[in-house]
Every structure is written in C-alpha cells, then in structure tokens.
Amino acid sequence: MIMGRVMPALMAFGVMLPLAACDTAEGNASGFRKNYFVARSALEEGEYGQANRQYAKLMSSAGPFLPRIQLEYAHSLLRAGEYAQAADLAEGMAMSSEGAASAAALAVAATARHELGLAALAQGDRQGGKTQLERAQQAMTQVLDTHPELDPLGSLAGRQASIAVRLRAL
C-alpha cells in the first residue's frame, strides 16, 4: 500500500544508477554495484530487513550516489514500518538536496510522519499524533506545490486530503 503512494515519487527522482561508471572507493566499484543490486532487489521483493542492511552498508561508500542511496534506504525503512528512521533520514536528505531530489525525500518523510501520527493517535497520544500529522501536512504541501509531477496518480494528494480531514477532527 505504501509502495503505491511513494514509488512514483521515488521513480521520478531519476533513472537507474549508472553503476557501470561508478567510481566510489577505488577497486570497490564491482562490490558496490553488487551490493546495490542486492539491496534494490530485496526492496522490490519485499525483503525489507535485507534491503535495509544492504543500504546501510552502502551509505559509507556511495560517493556521488549517496542521495539516491539515502532515498532508497529511507523508502525501504518506510516500507519496513521503521517510520521514525525513515522520516529522519528523508528529512536530512531533503535539507541537503534541491529540486526534485529534495521533494522526493520530503514525500517519503511526509508519508512516514503521517504513519507516525496515525500510530500515536491509535495509542491515545492526541498531541503527539497531531504534531506528526502537522509535520506530514507541511511536507506534503511543499512537495505538491513545488513538484506536482511527483504525484502523477494523485496518491500524495489523496494522502494530503486524508491528513487534512484528520487534523480538522482533532
């Protein structure tokens, strides 16, 4: 379900990494390429624990591919239900990036904050839930205002509307 909401933003961020020309650590390009494809395959197959372990290993050797690895790692964390980690990683990437890369990261962060808000509300934490939903709403609004092309199917707008309804009820 989350994949359908965030995958269009993730895919809009860019095309497949040009790993054949990867120049991360010297002599490490083939290892990086192999680990990337293991991580990516695990993510696509729903093996989020394995994907998260692989992406975590890739972070230190990603070189110029770090933004892409961070985004995919945040997305994998999101799909694994590790919402706080996903939000923190994606927000950090959004602050250090520009344009569509920043907006794609914000979409992941907003989705994670929305899920955190819903979980807090389900546990009876009204203020915590409201805070998370407000953060999600702010990030989602920024994404949709600056990069509407990241929501070709309207799933982000649908999530934004759901957040707005929930906030009005609080």
Side-chain angles (χ1 to χ4, degrees), residues 56-71:
K57 288 179 190 177
L58 289 169
M59 295 283 280
S60 64
S61 62
F65 302 113
L66 184 60
R68 177 63 181 241
I69 298 303
Q70 286 175 314
L71 183 61

Side-chain angles (χ1 to χ4, degrees), residues 116-135:
L116 287 168
L118 294 176
L121 291 172
Q123 294 175 352
D125 180 3
R126 185 172 185 212
Q127 187 55 47
K130 182 178 180 183
T131 298
Q132 292 293 345
L133 292 176
E134 288 170 341
R135 290 179 73 181

